[in-house]
Amino acid sequence: MSKDTDERSPKPKRFKRSKKQEKEGDTPQKIDYTIALAGNANVGKSVVFNELTGSNQIIGNWPGKTVERAVGKLLFESKCIEVIDLPGIYSFSTYSMEEIVSREYIAFEKPDVVINVVDASVLERNLFFTIQLKEMNVPLIVCVNQIDLAKQKGIIIDTDKLSKALGVPVVSTVAIRGEGLHELMETAIETAGQKTVTDTHTLKYGAEVENRIEKITEDIDNKNLDLGYPSRWVAIKLLENDPEIRKLVEAQSREVVNHAYALAREIEEIHNEPSFSVIASERYFLANQFAFGAQLESKIKITFAEKLDRLVTHRVFGYIVSALVIGGLLLWTFVVGDFLSGLLSNAFSFFQPVDPQTSGTLTSILWNGAFGGIVAGVTLVLPFVIPFYMMLSLIENSGILTRVAFMMDSAMHKIGLHGKALIPMILGYGCNVPAIESTRILETRRERLLAAFAITFAPCAARTIVILGLVAVYVNIWWAIALYGIDLLVMFVLGRLAYKVVPGEASGLIMEMHTFKVPSISVAAKQTWSRTKSLIYVVFPVYIIGSAAIQALYALGFLTPIANALAPITVFWLGLPVIAGVVLIFGAVRKEFVLLMLVAIFGTNLAAVLTPIQFVILALVSMLFLPCLATLTVLLKEFGAKATTTIALANIVTALIVGGLAYRLFLPFL
């Protein structure tokens, strides 16, 4: 057994970035080596990337979260190394943009080393992709990560045996603790220094497949085709009937393509199934052999993580846990946010009361408005957004979020979606824009459109600011929670209607669920800051400038005519003050403008001008009304003008109908 994996061996050397390399100016400009990290989703690849580079890239636990590769730099033993974190994928097919991006980068950019990160506890499944990387004939290292979790399951990996079977270096790591990364980088430098790849260890398939691969490879070599990919890899792809590779080869030699097609037909006749399926089976057979040969099992104990997994995915208790997770996330945000908001409000009131100024010099009005914007941002945005993002990060990184998505699969099918759609919908509670972009993880345009439609009703951070800033602060937490319940009901009803209207069939759920793990506080903190800082950079300037401008416009009388024109809807139907019409229009630009305008016009003591029922109805209508301009823009880009217009109209009509009905229903209780 290899000394890296022997439980009696010394503890692996932990990787630490030096203080020197933390300083950007000390990193040499010249890149000595380029390393690409490749592998399946949820194997810890992004953790390896962050540990090596100190990058602030967000780490998530769902597949396909990043199409564009992430880049970082590392100073190791006086060498400047560029590290590329490729998207998490399972094959080099052409079914997704992530797979195309990864294979084209590896083939054409030619990194000095490709590090294939695999999960030690599910080695056979991960080696399916490793075999495809071997076929690419690249300088390859296999990083067997999460060996600690594998040991908890009674699995020990002999890296020496695995290295001998694959014909490439193999290093074991626990990336989240930095263990093994030093040896990994030493091996990477050594491999990169060899410059050329001589594959003397070609992985062979069964005779009927291997013979045909060799014939096509010989055809490609004899015709001297310039394809950019290794000949053997192209031959295998032609047998798999890969459309992109077939077009690439056909542009130079139709004869090779025709011969490959005929050979693929022969394989299909022998096995009575599609040739790509036959080759996939061959790869899995090899992966099974390699994993079985390198994997040693000790006495298996049922771990706490496995017991927890059974509870969370139980057909009865799983739904209770899912409800507790989602409800707990929101309740945590409300309780902690309300406490922090109170502390900050008292602190600012001690220094200077915040009251609007609608008379006097223009300079004094602008300054007063700007200060009110600062107070609104500090007391009504940060206290609620930071706790939400922190808890969401911990839930993501623990692995529980994918279990919740799995349990919600049957319920999501009621609106034509599967459980995987819950991930972008929960992301929508942070921001609708990246949530709609992340619907690309869904398989069909219909599913993406239905999910995007539902997401436009999800109370994002900006809407949450309005709900909490108006209802939780001035009414009570329970009415704020009630608004979230109403929102979920609206999303379900409208999703069900859209499911009936939009043609197509719902698909089944296939989702990777990685092992439960204790989330890293430091990783969650980095992720929280990465998400929060973009909000701060946008919200605070908008609040400061916008509050000053709105207060000036109100003082000069520009807003009153618009408000009066909309009074039949806002006053008669919704029971709101006259100014609410202008407030809702500004809120369509950015949702925070609803709160911002009220503070700019009336000050932070809004209870003096609005009744409890008006707080609730204004927050409800703002939550369901038109999504912000940024959301409409991404909808237009993803789905076109017709779908975007339909979704926008549905939002407006829903907000007005639900708001008017809620006003009449809630009035006796508030």
Side-chain angles (χ1 to χ4, degrees):
M1 184 188 303
S2 168
K3 67 179 181 180
D4 334 87
T5 54
D6 192 335
E7 293 179 287
R8 296 169 298 175
S9 64
K11 200 169 186 179
K13 187 187 296 184
R14 293 195 179 190
F15 178 84
K16 289 185 178 179
R17 303 178 78 245
S18 67
K19 292 184 184 282
K20 179 182 178 182
Q21 67 195 75
E22 294 290 348
K23 298 178 181 179
E24 189 176 344
D26 290 337
T27 303
Q29 294 299 310
K30 179 180 175 295
I31 304 298
D32 294 297
Y33 298 114
T34 299
I35 293 174
L37 302 178
N40 296 175
N42 304 323
V43 296
K45 182 169 58 65
S46 293
V47 179
V48 173
F49 175 77
N50 282 327
E51 287 293 323
L52 292 178
T53 65
S55 169
N56 288 325
Q57 187 203 4
I58 294 174
I59 300 172
N61 290 317
W62 52 88
K65 76 177 175 65
T66 311
V67 173
E68 295 179 357
R69 61 183 184 262
V71 183
K73 286 184 180 178
L74 163 70
L75 185 63
F76 183 80
E77 295 183 351
S78 302
K79 301 290 185 183
C80 183
I81 302 168
E82 186 177 59
V83 184
I84 313 293
D85 184 17
L86 295 174
I89 59 174
Y90 298 90
S91 70
F92 280 135
S93 66
T94 54
Y95 297 119
S96 73
M97 184 56 65
E98 291 93 338
E99 292 168 341
I100 294 173
V101 163
S102 294
R103 83 181 194 185
E104 288 185 351
Y105 173 79
I106 291 173
F108 302 134
E109 299 293 330
K110 300 189 184 305
D112 296 294
V113 180
V114 175
I115 297 178
N116 174 214
V117 184
V118 301
D119 184 347
S121 60
V122 285
L123 188 60
E124 179 185 348
R125 187 167 64 199
N126 286 190
L127 289 179
F128 180 80
F129 181 58
T130 307
I131 291 167
Q132 294 177 71
L133 283 168
K134 274 284 293 180
E135 291 164 358
M136 291 283 280
N137 199 28
V138 295
L140 183 65
I141 297 172
V142 174
C143 168
V144 182
N145 192 33
Q146 301 181 155
I147 57 170
D148 55 333
L149 298 179
K151 284 180 180 178
Q152 290 174 14
K153 296 180 177 181
I155 299 170
I156 299 173
I157 306 300
D158 187 329
T159 54
D160 284 344
K161 285 185 178 179
L162 185 59
S163 176
K164 186 176 180 181
L166 291 171
V168 298
V170 177
V171 179
S172 60
T173 62
V174 182
I176 200 165
R177 297 203 299 262
E179 293 178 7
L181 294 183
H182 192 277
E183 182 186 349
L184 180 66
M185 294 313 300
E186 287 181 331
T187 307
I189 294 292
E190 182 182 345
T191 303
Q194 295 173 3
K195 300 296 182 185
T196 59
V197 181
T198 305
D199 192 353
T200 58
H201 196 279
T202 302
L203 303 180
K204 299 287 187 178
Y205 296 128
E208 70 277 7
V209 173
E210 189 61 42
N211 291 340
R212 287 163 178 81
I213 292 174
E214 290 175 0
K215 288 178 182 178
I216 301 171
T217 304
E218 187 177 342
D219 286 348
I220 294 170
D221 291 337
N222 288 341
K223 294 204 175 276
N224 294 317
L225 301 185
D226 184 16
L227 303 171
Y229 295 100
S231 300
R232 179 180 171 83
W233 185 85
V234 173
I236 295 170
K237 283 296 169 187
L238 287 175
L239 283 180
E240 290 181 309
N241 287 317
D242 185 296
E244 293 296 323
I245 297 301
R246 193 168 60 245
K247 277 192 278 185
L248 178 67
V249 178
E250 199 169 32
Q252 297 186 40
S253 175
R254 185 180 293 271
E255 182 184 345
V256 171
V257 173
N258 290 339
H259 188 207
Y261 179 76
L263 294 173
R265 290 286 298 163
E266 291 177 6
I267 292 175
E268 291 175 349
E269 289 172 3
I270 293 170
H271 291 272
N272 198 29
E273 59 179 319
S275 57
F276 71 83
S277 179
V278 174
I279 293 175
S281 298
E282 293 284 340
R283 287 197 184 107
Y284 275 120
F285 176 76
L286 287 176
N288 176 268
Q289 278 191 319
F290 298 151
F292 182 78
Q295 189 169 290
L296 304 174
E297 292 192 10
S298 60
K299 185 178 180 181
I300 297 176
K301 297 183 293 184
I302 298 177
T303 64
F304 174 75
E306 289 173 319
K307 293 177 182 177
L308 185 60
D309 196 22
R310 291 177 184 178
L311 174 66
V312 175
T313 56
H314 189 272
R315 60 182 180 180
V316 175
F317 297 114
Y319 291 106
I320 298 173
V321 172
S322 297
L324 290 174
V325 168
I326 297 173
L329 172 63
L330 298 178
L331 190 61
W332 159 269
T333 304
F334 296 155
V335 173
V336 175
D338 188 53
F339 173 73
L340 294 176
S341 179
L343 290 180
L344 292 169
S345 296
N346 292 335
F348 271 94
S349 297
F350 177 79
F351 287 109
Q352 177 183 342
V354 182
D355 295 310
Q357 181 180 335
T358 56
S359 61
T361 65
L362 183 60
T363 302
S364 63
I365 291 173
L366 290 173
W367 161 246
N368 184 269
F371 183 76
I374 294 171
V375 174
V378 172
T379 62
L380 301 177
V381 178
L382 295 184
F384 295 103
V385 171
I386 291 177
F388 174 81
Y389 278 143
M390 186 67 185
M391 185 57 68
L392 180 62
S393 298
L394 293 172
I395 292 172
E396 286 177 5
N397 294 325
S398 69
I400 198 170
L401 186 58
T402 50
R403 269 78 177 178
V404 172
F406 172 77
M407 291 307 301
M408 295 301 293
D409 183 50
S410 58
M412 298 290 284
H413 269 290
K414 301 294 184 184
I415 58 174
L417 298 170
H418 53 55
K420 199 193 303 187
L422 186 70
I423 293 172
M425 289 176 71
I426 289 180
L427 283 179
Y429 281 73
C431 181
N432 287 178
V433 174
I436 290 172
E437 289 178 336
S438 72
T439 60
R440 294 171 187 170
I441 68 173
L442 303 178
E443 282 71 19
T444 66
R445 185 183 187 277
R446 177 180 183 273
E447 288 182 340
R448 292 194 293 272
L449 183 59
L450 289 174
F453 175 58
I455 287 167
T456 61
F457 290 99
C460 61
R463 285 165 165 154
T464 296
I465 291 167
V466 175
I467 295 169
L468 301 182
L470 293 180
V471 181
V473 173
Y474 294 105
V475 185
N476 60 54
I477 287 174
W478 301 111
W479 273 103
I481 293 175
L483 290 188
Y484 279 88
I486 294 170
D487 183 72
L488 287 173
L489 179 62
V490 168
M491 288 171 69
F492 180 82
V493 171
L494 292 180
R496 185 67 181 170
L497 290 174
Y499 171 53
K500 296 292 186 182
V501 172
V502 180
E505 297 292 332
S507 63
L509 174 64
I510 301 175
M511 181 183 294
E512 177 85 6
M513 287 198 290
H514 74 276
T515 306
F516 271 119
K517 59 186 177 186
V518 178
S520 166
I521 299 297
S522 63
V523 169
K526 287 179 182 178
Q527 188 170 345
T528 301
W529 169 241
S530 180
R531 287 169 166 168
T532 305
K533 70 180 180 182
S534 59
L535 187 66
I536 293 173
Y537 293 160
V538 172
V539 167
F540 271 77
V542 166
Y543 266 43
I544 295 168
I545 298 170
S547 183
I550 290 168
Q551 197 165 115
L553 288 171
Y554 186 72
L556 296 172
F558 287 109
L559 303 182
T560 304
I562 301 173
N564 291 336
L566 295 173
I569 296 174
T570 54
V571 178
F572 171 72
W573 175 243
L574 298 175
L576 297 173
V578 176
I579 196 65
V582 178
V583 169
L584 291 173
I585 290 174
F586 273 83
V589 179
R590 279 191 65 88
K591 287 299 173 183
E592 304 98 319
F593 278 10
V594 171
L595 189 58
L596 177 62
M597 283 200 67
L598 292 174
V599 171
I601 295 170
F602 300 117
T604 54
N605 185 22
L606 297 177
V609 292
L610 293 175
T611 64
I613 185 68
Q614 289 176 330
F615 278 119
V616 172
I617 298 303
L618 181 57
L620 176 61
V621 174
S622 300
M623 178 174 65
L624 301 176
F625 199 60
L626 269 176
C628 67
L629 283 180
T631 302
L632 292 174
T633 301
V634 75
L635 280 171
L636 187 64
K637 183 182 74 172
E638 295 288 329
F639 302 105
K642 183 179 178 181
T644 302
T645 303
T646 304
I647 291 173
L649 290 174
N651 276 258
I652 294 172
V653 172
T654 300
L656 296 179
I657 292 175
V658 173
L661 293 175
Y663 170 63
R664 284 150 182 82
L665 289 172
F666 296 162
L667 192 57
F669 303 101
L670 286 165

